[in-house]
Amino acid sequence: MMMNATYEWLYENYARELQQELREAEETAIERFAADAHLNDGDKLTLTDCIAALRFHCGVHSFALGLRMGMDLMEELFPTAS
């Protein structure tokens, strides 16, 4: 339960606002690209889906890297007896 509270605090204090800014910038870029490329609604939806899948994939990897970095830092600060 403590980890969930930690992740929630980190999200509320660091990630939420940044994610909103990134989402708005992404939506603007998609709209601009779709208009310039004369995409129909179906193609625009496909583009949006592809970008969302890429964002999810990158998000999972960045989360895992951050978690790994935190574990490495904890090991340096509090080494276990070997």
Side-chain angles (χ1 to χ4, degrees):
M1 192 65 152
M2 183 61 170
M3 289 300 261
N4 289 340
T6 301
Y7 289 142
E8 184 176 342
W9 185 90
L10 289 170
Y11 176 77
E12 293 293 331
N13 290 279
Y14 292 104
R16 178 185 282 198
E17 187 175 323
L18 178 59
Q19 283 185 340
Q20 181 62 33
E21 291 173 19
L22 292 172
R23 184 178 305 112
E24 290 170 3
E26 184 179 282
E27 288 171 0
T28 300
I30 289 170
E31 289 294 330
R32 187 174 297 148
F33 179 81
D36 290 346
H38 306 289
L39 298 181
N40 62 36
D41 288 342
D43 290 339
K44 184 178 168 186
L45 181 60
T46 299
L47 173 64
T48 302
D49 287 346
C50 288
I51 291 172
L54 182 61
R55 184 184 341 106
F56 176 77
H57 181 75
C58 292
V60 168
H61 283 283
S62 63
F63 178 79
L65 289 171
L67 194 59
R68 179 68 201 180
M69 183 182 77
M71 291 170 61
D72 289 345
L73 287 172
M74 291 301 294
E75 179 64 26
E76 287 181 26
L77 292 173
F78 305 103
T80 56
S82 299

